[in-house]
């Protein structure tokens, strides 16, 4: 394994660092409230960073998200890339790629995802070829034959997803139904209701309510959507669903690495410049040990995210690695952002202090796409399935 960035990945990361550093300042973040920084999003898209993700791969995206995390920049970068650009590019049909990708690259369309599937959304049969364009079927029958889920090109979706990040900004949402099939839903269509909710991190989140909303299947009807991540027979999931979820967990682990690195950098700066009893706080052994432990946790999050992303880019199995990265992002991420706040002493209790923003993001990320306990159980089940299959 070689995690050394390519020239293109390094250039993209450097450009992202400059844009985030210049525009995602504490003052601008405070002015944005819980919404997206539209000017920053426009600058990222004008620089071609979302579009570059298709070329620099998931590892490149992880590097870019690290830079976003360092500044806790409030833009729908991760969700648009994971649930939009990469999902459509890998699993979409040629027609879907031609129709959807240009707007996602330019940032005029914003995608997000209702993940993971927790059984809250059900799909009912609708076929574009029956009874005219978009005609609704009677039950699941077509020409006297019952349709399988995989044969449906369109569906009517109903259900509630309590929390979807950046949904308030999204034009499209990738919905995983109870059967773990993937559907593209336009947020402005009939039957789609977006109800703003406030979460720990200011991610323009909302509750998604679907009432007979039209969903367009991602990819060809009847296609399994398998990939190196794992097939349904191995993981209990459809290939496309497992692939997108693994990519999401890896990408958000990269974002958590940046959030934690930014928190630790602020703590180091504070303890080096703040004096107590005539000497810097950083000279106290307890402070040094706490910071050292946090540093090791940050590196663990980073390297596991790099490994999962690299394996995916190399078309190697990466389900276990994505779960490992998610576990480190949850468990170690929580420790780091707590340490960052504690090392600031009383200053860390100030809700207006920049380090508190890292704390809020870290706590949001430690449970998004599955808490540490959930992903650990999933990892154990996956490894047990592999052992049974090999024996």
């Amino acid at each position: 394994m070689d995690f050394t960035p390519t020239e293109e990945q390094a250039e993209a990361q450097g450009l992202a660092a400059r844009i985030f550093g210049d525009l995602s300042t504490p003052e601008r973040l405070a002015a944005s409230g819980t919404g997206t920084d539209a000017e920053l999003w426009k600058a990222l898209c004008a620089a071609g960073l979302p579009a570059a993700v298709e070329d620099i791969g998931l590892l490149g995206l992880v590097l870019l998200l690290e830079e976003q995390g360092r500044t806790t920049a409030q833009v729908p970068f991760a969700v648009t890339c994971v649930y939009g650009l990469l999902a459509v590019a890998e699993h979409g049909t040629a027609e879907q790629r031609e129709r959807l990708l240009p707007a996602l690259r330019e940032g005029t369309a914003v995608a997000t995802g209702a993940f993971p599937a927790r059984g809250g959304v059900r799909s009912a049969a609708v076929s574009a070829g029956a009874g005219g364009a978009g005609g609704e079927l009677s039950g699941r029958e077509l020409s006297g034959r019952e349709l399988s889920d995989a044969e449906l090109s369109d569906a009517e979706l109903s259900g509630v997803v309590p929390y979807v990040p950046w949904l308030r900004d999204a034009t499209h949402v990738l919905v995983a139904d109870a059967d773990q099939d993937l559907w593209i839903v336009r947020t402005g269509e009939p039957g789609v209701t977006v109800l703003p909710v406030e979460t720990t991190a200011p991610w323009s989140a909302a509750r998604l309510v679907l009432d007979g909303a039209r969903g367009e299947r991602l990819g060809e009807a009847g296609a399994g959507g398998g990939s190196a991540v794992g097939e349904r027979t191995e993981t209990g999931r459809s290939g496309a669903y497992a692939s997108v979820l693994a990519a999401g967990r890896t990408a958000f682990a990269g974002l958590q690495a940046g959030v934690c690195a930014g928190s630790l950098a602020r703590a180091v700066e504070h303890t080096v410049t703040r004096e107590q009893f005539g000497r810097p706080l950083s000279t106290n052994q307890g402070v040094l040990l706490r910071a050292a432990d946090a540093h090791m946790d940050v590196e663990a999050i980073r390297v596991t995210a790099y490994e999962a992303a690299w394996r995916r880019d190399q078309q190697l199995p990466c389900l276990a690695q994505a779960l490992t990265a998610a576990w480190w992002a949850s468990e170690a991420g929580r420790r780091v952002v707590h340490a960052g706040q504690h090392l600031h002493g009383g200053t860390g209790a100030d809700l207006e202090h920049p380090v508190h923003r890292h704390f809020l993001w870290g706590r949001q990320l430690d449970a998004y796409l599955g808490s540490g306990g959930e992903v650990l159980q999933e990892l154990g089940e996956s490894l047990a399935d592999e052992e049974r299959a090999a024996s």
Side-chain angles (χ1 to χ4, degrees), residues 44 73 111 114 124 134 140 142-143 155-157 192 205 213-214 281 303 326 372 375 384:
L44 292 169
R140 287 182 176 268
L142 179 62
S143 300
E156 286 190 351
L157 306 177
V192 181
R214 181 62 58 92
L281 288 172
V303 74
V375 296

Side-chain angles (χ1 to χ4, degrees), residues 120-292:
V121 176
R122 296 285 175 179
S123 58
V126 173
S127 175
E136 184 175 354
L137 297 180
S138 172
R140 287 182 176 268
E141 292 186 359
L142 179 62
S143 300
R145 183 174 62 86
E146 184 174 340
L147 288 167
S148 68
D149 287 338
E151 292 177 298
L152 301 177
S153 59
D154 293 295
E156 286 190 351
L157 306 177
S158 298
V160 178
V161 182
Y163 156 73
V164 180
W166 282 287
L167 181 58
R168 281 180 262 171
D169 301 325
T171 56
H172 300 75
V173 55
L174 187 62
V175 177
D177 68 14
D179 297 318
Q180 298 177 347
D181 293 315
L182 302 183
W183 308 94
I184 302 169
V185 175
R186 292 186 61 89
T187 55
E189 293 295 308
V192 181
T193 303
V194 174
L195 302 174
V197 297
E198 299 301 332
T199 59
T200 303
W203 286 359
S204 296
R207 178 178 292 106
L208 178 65
V209 181
L210 302 173
D211 185 10
R214 181 62 58 92
E216 172 191 356
R217 178 182 290 278
L218 177 65
E220 296 282 359
S227 72
V229 173
E231 301 293 341
R232 184 185 292 274
T233 55
E234 296 176 359
T235 66
R237 293 193 168 113
S238 69
Y241 173 81
S243 175
V244 174
L245 180 57
R249 283 171 165 162
T250 303
F252 279 93
L255 184 62
Q256 180 75 300
V259 169
C260 292
S263 174
L264 182 57
R266 291 186 182 280
V268 169
E269 181 182 9
H270 175 80
T271 56
V272 166
T273 57
R274 180 84 172 201
E275 292 190 355
Q276 186 179 59
F277 305 118
R279 60 177 185 167
L281 288 172
S282 59
T283 60
N284 293 324
Q285 187 179 43
V287 172
L288 289 170
L289 292 174
R290 189 78 185 275

Side-chain angles (χ1 to χ4, degrees), residues 6-172:
T6 64
E7 183 179 349
E8 292 78 7
Q9 289 170 339
E11 289 178 354
Q13 184 181 22
L15 178 58
R18 289 194 296 273
I19 295 174
F20 285 125
D22 290 343
L23 296 182
S24 185
T25 62
E27 295 75 21
R28 286 178 60 86
L29 289 169
S32 297
T34 61
T36 290
D37 187 332
E39 182 179 343
L40 174 55
W41 179 239
K42 186 180 299 183
L44 292 169
C45 295
L49 287 177
V53 170
E54 293 176 78
D55 297 321
I56 62 178
L58 186 57
L59 179 56
L61 176 58
V62 166
L63 294 172
L64 301 185
L65 292 176
E66 275 195 75
E67 302 305 326
Q68 179 184 0
R70 290 180 201 276
T71 60
T72 60
Q74 292 174 200
V75 286
F77 192 33
V79 288
T80 293
C81 291
V82 170
Y83 301 123
L85 284 162
L86 294 182
V88 173
E90 182 176 355
H91 303 289
T93 64
E95 188 278 331
Q96 286 173 333
R97 293 194 293 270
E98 182 179 358
R99 170 166 47 92
L100 297 173
L101 289 179
L104 290 168
R105 293 173 185 138
E106 297 167 0
T108 54
V110 173
T112 187
F115 276 72
R118 299 191 185 277
V121 176
R122 296 285 175 179
S123 58
V126 173
S127 175
E136 184 175 354
L137 297 180
S138 172
R140 287 182 176 268
E141 292 186 359
L142 179 62
S143 300
R145 183 174 62 86
E146 184 174 340
L147 288 167
S148 68
D149 287 338
E151 292 177 298
L152 301 177
S153 59
D154 293 295
E156 286 190 351
L157 306 177
S158 298
V160 178
V161 182
Y163 156 73
V164 180
W166 282 287
L167 181 58
R168 281 180 262 171
D169 301 325
T171 56
H172 300 75

Side-chain angles (χ1 to χ4, degrees), residues 354-374:
V355 76
H356 189 69
R357 187 176 298 272
H358 289 268
F359 173 78
L360 295 177
W361 276 60
R363 290 312 308 264
Q364 189 73 52
L365 283 164
D366 89 50
Y368 179 55
L369 297 180
S371 66
E374 288 177 309

